[in-house]
Amino acid sequence: TYLNDEYTDSASAATTWATGHKTDGGNISWLPGDPADGDLETIGEILREEKGWAFGVVSTVPFSHATPAAHASHNVDRNDYHGIATEMLTDVKPEVVIGGGHPAWYRGGDDRYIPQDLYNAFKSGTYSAEYVFVERQVCVNGAVSLAAAAQQTVAEGKKLFGLFGGPG
């Protein structure tokens, strides 16, 4: 259980906000009781499918945290950050994902919020046909690098993944 079952946690609250369905504590856009194939379609997924709209998540917390995750992924465990990040970026593929959780800037190299192999794949350009990837760098203004990446994203008709954050 998460905290106290009498109170809604951020995962289930964000799920309700993103899908219109109540769920169990700890669930990320997943039906209560954790049935197989219990993923709930989010408002962003519905609007993309039915209207051709783009959607995304932008957050100051790690992008695979419960609140942003509930809008662009599905999981029975809010703490499965690797599973959430992988599904979000390789399956759901929102047009924009910007958030914290950079492995080099979180607790001195902790890959808690994105699997190291997925981070390495973005860094090496494996996903460059689909995404523009921008990340936090030493002595580089993040706002400037993010604005340049956003312009490149529009010019090239790609998706944007911005990975920032750090210990502060």
Side-chain angles (χ1 to χ4, degrees):
T1 65
Y2 290 86
L3 301 176
N4 181 326
D5 287 336
E6 295 178 30
Y7 305 99
T8 302
D9 76 327
S10 61
S12 59
T15 292
T16 303
W17 159 19
T19 70
H21 296 274
K22 290 182 75 171
T23 193
D24 301 331
N27 281 5
I28 300 290
S29 296
W30 203 273
L31 287 168
D34 304 344
D37 299 321
D39 53 317
L40 295 165
E41 225 176 2
T42 69
I43 186 90
E45 292 170 306
I46 292 167
L47 290 170
R48 178 198 278 163
E49 182 181 312
E50 293 182 6
K51 304 278 188 183
W53 290 15
F55 82 99
V57 293
V58 178
S59 179
T60 57
V61 300
F63 74 97
S64 56
H65 252 223
T67 302
H71 293 83
S73 67
H74 317 85
N75 202 298
V76 298
D77 182 2
R78 66 176 290 149
N79 294 318
D80 180 11
Y81 300 122
H82 286 189
I84 290 166
T86 300
E87 184 205 13
M88 188 184 298
L89 294 168
T90 66
D91 184 33
V92 176
K93 301 179 184 178
E95 283 69 23
V96 175
V97 175
I98 302 171
H102 193 293
W105 292 91
Y106 184 79
R107 295 186 184 162
D110 184 349
D111 71 344
R112 177 183 214 175
Y113 297 108
I114 182 171
Q116 191 66 49
D117 61 339
L118 184 59
Y119 167 74
N120 291 343
F122 271 94
K123 185 137 178 96
S124 72
T126 300
Y127 292 98
S128 64
E130 191 165 11
Y131 283 93
V132 171
F133 175 60
V134 60
E135 63 181 324
R136 182 176 178 179
Q137 297 177 25
V138 176
C139 298
V140 176
N141 183 318
V144 172
S145 59
L146 185 57
Q151 289 174 341
Q152 179 185 352
T153 298
V154 172
E156 297 178 9
K158 294 182 180 180
K159 300 174 189 301
L160 175 63
F161 177 34
L163 187 56
F164 295 91

